[in-house]
């Protein structure tokens, strides 16, 4: 069984839920602080309909940042102070910076400057170089300042990530390699990748230790789920079973897997595979190994521009990519499922990137990495 703490009318209580099969799908948290971006929506369930909710969240953040009239303390902010630093040049950071740039272009009253900092030599460093070049060229046209190839150290202002994304105390940063490169930011937004929501499984968590002690006192077995150093659940990539368990599975962003698989489409396919596998187990039928479908990725550059990739192949750019993304989101929002049985048979187009193109392969998530030292 698993012990679940619930909040009732009489306060918190622990409930024991028995299971034959256990699926862990707790996802991940984006950003290292409360000023970090929540790409799948700000409240539980808000991101249930794929990246569409993520894009809506970005648009709200972009309007808040780029339009001074929307800020409560606008009277205290002069135009030359409104510089926003976005840390992380992965998909999340790129899409947010693009949304802010587009809102800024439409708003006649805004003077918000946007700086996008990434510690690799190019944006979207886990994707083909042509994708990076297209995005960087687009940012140049939109007057978005892009700083690449180094981390930045805070030299004044807050000494740690602010506790609220609405904080407006200025911060100054200098490059860790080139001290002449400086950034003055009124607001810093962290779009720096994901951390798995698996703290409830770690024995470094005091609550887990208390639960384990109670179980030991009652002579009950303790479930020890293997976690990687970064906190991801270790699983068999062929079956998606948690290492050491035949009836426990891990799916989605809480599971350890290659960077390119941290997408909503892969989470769906994993869930569909596990559901089918459990059904066959109960029917005592032979199960097939999990066969990875191709990676489809739609990256927005505002509402009418972007990139659409199939594996490592850039299929289309510009307005056509934006239309494709709209159609994909329309399908996922209204016509689930995306059939795993069909898509796993399609070609993956995962040709090997050159070493200079595949920077950042060591990181767990493809959504970016902090550029602050």
């Amino acid at each position: 069984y698993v012990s679940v703490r619930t909040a009732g009318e009489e306060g918190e209580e622990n409930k024991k839920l028995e299971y034959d099969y256990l699926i862990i799908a707790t996802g991940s948290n984006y950003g290292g602080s409360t000023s970090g971006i929540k790409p799948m929506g700000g409240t539980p369930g808000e991101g249930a309909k794929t990246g569409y909710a993520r894009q809506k969240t970005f648009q709200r953040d972009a309007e808040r940042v780029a339009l001074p009239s929307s800020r409560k303390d606008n009277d205290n902010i002069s135009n030359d102070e409104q510089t926003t630093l976005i840390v992380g040049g992965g998909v999340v950071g790129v899409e947010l910076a693009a949304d802010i740039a587009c809102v800024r272009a439409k708003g006649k009253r805004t003077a918000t400057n946007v700086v996008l900092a990434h510690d690799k030599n190019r944006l979207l460093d886990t994707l083909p170089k042509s994708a990076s070049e297209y995005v960087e060229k687009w940012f140049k046209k939109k007057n978005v300042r892009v700083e690449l190839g180094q981390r930045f150290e805070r030299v004044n202002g807050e000494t740690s990530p602010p506790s609220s994304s609405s904080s407006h105390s200025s911060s100054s940063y200098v490059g860790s390699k080139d001290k002449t490169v400086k950034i003055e930011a009124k607001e810093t937004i962290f779009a720096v990748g994901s951390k798995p929501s698996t703290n409830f499984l770690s024995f470094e968590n005091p609550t887990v230790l208390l639960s384990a002690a109670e179980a030991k006192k009652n002579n009950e077995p303790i479930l020890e789920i293997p976690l990687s150093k970064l906190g991801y659940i270790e699983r068999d990539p062929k079956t998606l079973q948690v290492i050491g368990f035949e009836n426990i599975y891990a799916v989605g962003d809480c599971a350890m897997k290659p960077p390119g698989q941290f997408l909503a489409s892969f989470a769906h396919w994993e869930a569909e595979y596990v559901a089918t596998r459990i059904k066959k187990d109960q029917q005592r039928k032979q199960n097939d190994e999990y066969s990875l479908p191709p990676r489809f990725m739609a990256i927005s550059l505002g509402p009418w521009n972007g990139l659409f990739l199939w594996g490592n192949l850039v299929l289309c750019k510009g307005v056509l990519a934006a239309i494709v993304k709209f159609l994909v989101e329309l399908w996922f929002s209204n016509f689930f499922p995306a059939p795993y049985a069909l898509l796993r048979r399609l070609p993956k187009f995962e040709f090997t990137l050159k070493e200079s193109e595949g920077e950042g392969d060591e990181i767990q998530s493809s959504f970016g990495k902090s550029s602050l030292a």
Side-chain angles (χ1 to χ4, degrees):
Y1 71 89
V2 293
S3 179
V4 179
R5 181 171 296 177
T6 60
E9 295 180 357
E10 301 179 358
E12 291 187 347
E13 60 176 336
N14 287 329
K15 287 187 176 181
K16 294 182 178 180
L17 303 177
E18 296 183 354
Y19 64 85
D20 295 309
Y21 296 90
L22 176 63
I23 303 173
I24 305 175
T26 50
S28 59
N29 297 308
Y30 292 80
S33 70
T34 52
S35 61
I37 294 301
K38 300 178 180 64
M40 295 307 291
T43 58
E46 186 178 348
K49 292 190 175 180
T50 74
Y52 179 72
R54 182 181 82 183
Q55 199 62 38
K56 289 299 182 183
T57 303
F58 285 173
Q59 290 170 2
R60 289 195 297 269
D61 281 336
E63 291 173 0
R64 176 185 60 79
V65 170
L67 297 178
S69 59
S70 67
R71 293 181 176 178
K72 293 181 180 179
D73 56 351
N74 181 47
D75 294 338
N76 299 324
I77 304 175
S78 61
N79 284 344
D80 60 351
E81 292 179 316
Q82 296 170 22
T83 295
T84 297
L85 169 63
I86 299 175
V87 180
V91 176
V92 171
V94 164
E95 288 192 338
L96 178 60
D99 276 344
I100 295 175
C102 289
V103 172
R104 179 182 63 179
K106 290 191 299 183
K108 297 180 180 179
R109 294 171 295 175
T110 179
T112 300
N113 297 312
V114 183
V115 181
L116 179 59
H118 191 49
D119 63 348
K120 302 299 180 183
N121 292 326
R122 61 185 180 89
L123 300 175
L124 303 176
D125 53 272
T126 61
L127 300 181
K129 194 173 183 179
S130 60
S132 303
E133 291 173 346
Y134 183 83
V135 168
E136 290 168 17
K137 185 178 180 180
W138 187 90
F139 278 135
K140 188 174 182 179
K141 288 181 179 179
K142 295 294 182 179
N143 295 317
V144 173
R145 177 182 168 190
V146 177
E147 293 291 345
L148 299 171
Q150 65 177 333
R151 298 192 176 200
F152 285 84
E153 300 170 351
R154 184 182 281 110
V155 294
N156 80 326
E158 303 194 37
T159 57
S160 60
S163 59
S164 172
S165 59
S166 61
S167 174
H168 294 299
S169 58
S170 295
S171 296
S172 298
Y173 303 89
V174 297
S176 58
K177 295 180 181 178
D178 185 353
K179 300 295 184 182
T180 64
V181 181
K182 299 179 180 180
I183 300 174
E184 298 285 338
K186 194 66 183 177
E187 181 169 28
T188 303
I189 300 177
F190 294 85
V192 294
S194 62
K195 293 183 178 180
S197 300
T198 57
N199 188 47
F200 69 100
L201 297 172
S202 172
F203 283 91
E204 295 179 2
N205 184 340
T207 303
V208 175
L209 289 175
L210 287 174
S211 298
E214 182 179 347
K216 188 175 182 179
K217 186 187 299 183
N218 296 329
N219 293 321
E220 295 174 332
I222 301 171
L223 196 64
E224 296 186 39
I225 300 295
L227 301 177
S228 70
K229 291 181 179 179
L230 296 176
Y232 293 90
I233 299 173
E234 297 180 353
R235 69 179 187 184
D236 184 342
K238 296 180 179 180
T239 64
L240 307 190
Q241 293 168 322
V242 175
I243 299 297
F245 300 91
E246 292 187 354
N247 65 334
I248 302 179
Y249 296 85
V251 300
D253 286 4
C254 66
M256 187 169 67
K257 52 187 175 179
Q261 296 177 31
F262 284 84
L263 299 170
S265 54
F266 282 101
H268 166 78
W269 291 323
E270 291 169 12
E272 185 179 338
Y273 168 80
V274 168
T276 303
R277 186 180 180 88
I278 291 174
K279 181 179 179 181
K280 286 186 176 181
D281 271 352
Q282 293 175 332
Q283 296 174 345
R284 302 196 180 282
K285 293 182 179 180
Q286 184 175 0
N287 269 302
D288 298 325
E289 292 183 352
Y290 178 66
S291 179
L292 194 67
R295 178 186 65 185
F296 296 100
M297 180 179 289
I299 302 172
S300 294
L301 297 175
W304 295 109
N305 209 319
L307 296 161
F308 186 79
L309 294 89
W310 182 339
N312 287 327
L313 180 66
V314 180
L315 280 187
C316 56
K317 306 173 184 176
V319 176
L320 181 58
I323 294 173
V324 170
K325 180 167 185 175
F326 170 77
L327 294 175
V328 169
E329 290 174 344
L330 185 67
W331 171 269
F332 270 83
S333 298
N334 298 284
F335 304 108
F336 270 114
Y340 163 77
L342 171 63
L343 294 177
R344 70 190 180 97
R345 303 181 188 278
L346 296 179
K348 297 181 176 58
F349 295 116
E350 292 185 349
F351 45 87
T352 303
L353 299 178
K354 295 179 182 178
E355 186 175 348
S356 60
E357 292 191 38
E359 296 175 283
D361 287 343
E362 75 281 356
I363 62 176
Q364 185 71 25
S365 171
S366 61
F367 287 98
K369 186 176 180 180
S370 175
S371 299
L372 295 186

